[in-house]
């Protein structure tokens, strides 16, 4: 296996992250600077606030990485950076920094697709993973199911089979949490509230499985939560549920999203005759989803690759893991590397 020592940077949304990683799996140093406290006051990620925080954290973070890893820029084989998809300004901070460092250090540059990074995290966490496999990536911006035909494939080596017709699952978690008065960030708050709730109180499962029989849909679910929580007054109306009611709505919401994700994944696994299913993205940190997918897959004789929580939410180790695959495949970018929001 070809060797590499990579510095990877990630700034596509509201986490500034960096890592120095050997051969795509040996983490010499890592940091993740979460901006969650900065955005909480606004109830969501504010792009301008995110950009400024990335600018403040990124280069000091890189300095600290070298100290911790005990290597120098001259030891690097490449600088890797997330260049798509994400908040355009946030991506630009990371990509501009990576370009500057690559130029100053005379080191190759490798642009990494954030979603391919989430997929690489599963392979990193589960060495037994075999292609072809399905990769379910569930985050704040995406809810996609991919067919990966080859482990460590080059760019564009995966086919998107299923996606959302409207909101992403993570976005739905964040919006539902707001409607239920649970605050930001929504995913972990809904999961916590759901623990004491009854997920069968509201049956919203059908709304997440559109009649096309293939994709996901989460905007109808959001509206259903709104009516349950705020009645006819809508989004701005007073919360009509007590704590127990909020818990039941959170549990029912979580059950409906999980049911859709698991149902479509198992359908696709059968259609494509795969043996393995991998999970990734911030929503993959949800314990209820992790357990439900593992249980349902085991019943069908499927194997699952589910990364630890720290590799599910945004981080730079997964970007290094994906960059290593690209590095081995001979991919190198130039200083004209583009930054793409979608
Ligand atoms: O992958 P990620 O960290 O950033 C993007 O690429 O979007 O995903 C962030 C999303 C947010 O919508 C957040 O609410 C959701 O992941 N999330 C969760 C949990 N932790 C984070 N959703 C459900 N349950 C969780 N425990
Ligand atoms: Zn992500």
């Amino acid at each position: 296996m070809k060797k590499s020592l990579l510095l990877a940077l990630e700034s596509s949304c509201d986490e500034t992250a960096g890592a120095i990683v050997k051969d795509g799996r040996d983490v010499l140093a890592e940091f993740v600077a979460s901006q969650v406290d900065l955005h909480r006051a606004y109830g969501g990620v504010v792009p301008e606030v995110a950009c400024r925080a990335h600018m403040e954290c990124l280069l000091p973070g890189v300095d600290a990485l070298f100290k911790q890893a005990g290597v120098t820029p001259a030891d690097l084989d490449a600088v890797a950076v997330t260049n798509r998809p994400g908040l355009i300004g946030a991506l630009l901070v990371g990509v501009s920094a990576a370009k500057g460092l690559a130029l100053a250090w005379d080191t190759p540059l490798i642009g990494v697709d954030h979603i391919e990074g989430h997929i690489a995290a599963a392979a990193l966490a589960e060495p037994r993973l075999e292609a072809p496999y399905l990769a379910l990536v569930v985050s704040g911006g995406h809810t996609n199911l991919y067919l990966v035909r080859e482990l460590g494939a080059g760019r564009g080596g995966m086919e998107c089979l299923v996606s959302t017709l409207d909101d992403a699952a993570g976005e739905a978690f964040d919006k539902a949490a707001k409607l239920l008065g649970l605050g930001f960030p929504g995913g972990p708050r809904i999961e916590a509230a759901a623990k004491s709730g009854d997920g069968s109180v509201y049956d919203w499962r059908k709304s997440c499985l559109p009649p096309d029989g293939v994709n996901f849909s989460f905007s109808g679910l959001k509206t259903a939560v709104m009516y349950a929580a705020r009645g006819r007054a809508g989004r701005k109306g007073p919360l009509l549920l007590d704590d127990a009611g909020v818990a039941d709505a959170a549990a029912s919401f979580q059950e409906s999203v999980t049911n859709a994700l698991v149902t479509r994944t198992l359908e696709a696994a059968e259609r494509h005759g795969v043996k393995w299913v991998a999970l990734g993205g911030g929503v993959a940190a949800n314990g209820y989803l992790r357990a439900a997918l593992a249980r349902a897959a085991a019943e069908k004789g499927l194997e699952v690759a589910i990364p630890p929580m720290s590799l599910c939410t945004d981080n730079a180790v997964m970007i290094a893991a994906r960059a290593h695959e690209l590095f081995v495949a001979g991919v190198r970018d130039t200083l004209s590397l583009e930054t793409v929001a979608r």
Side-chain angles (χ1 to χ4, degrees):
M1 186 51 152
K2 200 162 170 194
K3 304 228 166 281
S4 73
L5 184 70
L6 306 178
L7 166 68
L9 305 178
E10 155 65 41
S11 70
S12 64
C13 189
D14 62 340
E15 262 101 20
T16 318
I20 295 179
V21 178
K22 218 172 110 190
D23 306 332
R25 51 176 56 250
D26 189 2
V27 182
L28 303 190
E30 182 198 4
F31 77 89
V32 180
S34 167
Q35 304 174 359
V36 88
D37 293 335
L38 290 176
H39 298 292
R40 185 171 289 121
Y42 306 98
V45 178
V46 181
E48 286 74 15
V49 174
C51 294
R52 214 165 302 146
H54 286 313
M55 285 201 282
E56 281 164 14
C57 294
L58 200 56
L59 292 179
V62 169
D63 279 339
L65 285 178
F66 281 105
K67 287 198 188 91
Q68 197 188 327
V71 299
T72 69
D75 300 320
L76 294 179
D77 292 300
V79 175
V81 64
T82 304
N83 72 315
R84 69 199 306 154
L87 301 171
I88 191 71
L91 286 166
L92 271 169
V93 176
V95 170
S96 307
K99 285 180 178 176
L101 297 173
L103 180 66
W105 298 337
D106 195 18
T107 304
L109 178 70
I110 299 177
V112 176
D113 183 307
H114 182 83
I115 297 183
E116 294 181 5
H118 277 303
I119 294 175
L124 180 64
E126 178 48 89
R128 294 184 309 128
L129 179 65
E130 276 173 29
Y133 66 93
L134 291 182
L136 176 64
V137 181
V138 205
S139 73
H142 307 272
T143 312
N144 297 336
L145 186 60
Y146 298 88
L147 177 62
V148 186
R149 291 203 168 83
E150 183 194 334
L151 261 181
R155 276 188 183 140
M158 37 204 96
E159 184 190 342
C160 184
L161 304 172
V162 180
S163 54
T164 175
L165 300 178
D166 37 61
D167 292 354
E171 183 185 357
F173 265 95
D174 294 332
K175 288 177 176 168
K178 220 176 202 176
L179 289 165
L180 293 171
L182 293 170
F184 175 84
R189 301 265 176 117
I190 294 245
E191 182 173 9
K195 288 216 162 82
S196 59
D198 176 354
S200 64
V201 169
Y202 303 94
D203 190 356
W204 292 321
R205 288 173 300 179
K206 268 203 190 126
S207 71
C208 305
L209 293 165
D212 70 4
V214 177
N215 292 297
F216 307 111
S217 167
F218 298 111
S219 70
L221 173 62
K222 181 187 62 191
T223 307
V225 172
M226 183 179 77
Y227 284 133
R230 312 270 166 176
R232 284 175 177 273
R235 206 157 43 88
K236 300 231 163 84
L239 183 60
L240 304 175
L241 300 170
D242 61 8
D243 288 352
V246 167
D248 290 341
S252 303
F253 169 90
Q254 184 171 258
E255 164 57 28
S256 305
V257 174
T258 299
N259 176 66
L261 296 173
V262 171
T263 300
R264 290 297 191 234
T265 302
L266 295 190
E267 287 167 359
E270 190 167 341
R271 233 175 16 248
H272 293 273
V274 300
K275 280 202 305 222
W276 276 91
V277 173
L279 184 62
V283 180
N286 184 281
Y288 189 79
L289 168 64
R290 295 163 78 91
L293 182 65
R295 206 180 321 112
E299 275 168 19
K300 295 271 175 194
L302 296 167
E303 300 258 28
V304 289
I306 304 183
M309 310 279 194
S310 60
L311 275 178
C312 289
T313 46
D314 288 349
N315 66 88
V317 171
M318 69 181 196
I319 301 304
R322 177 59 182 149
H324 172 75
E325 296 174 351
L326 295 172
F327 179 80
V328 170
V331 173
R332 306 288 184 274
D333 288 303
T334 67
L335 294 179
S336 345
L337 176 70
E338 283 184 36
T339 306
V340 185
R342 289 239 144 234

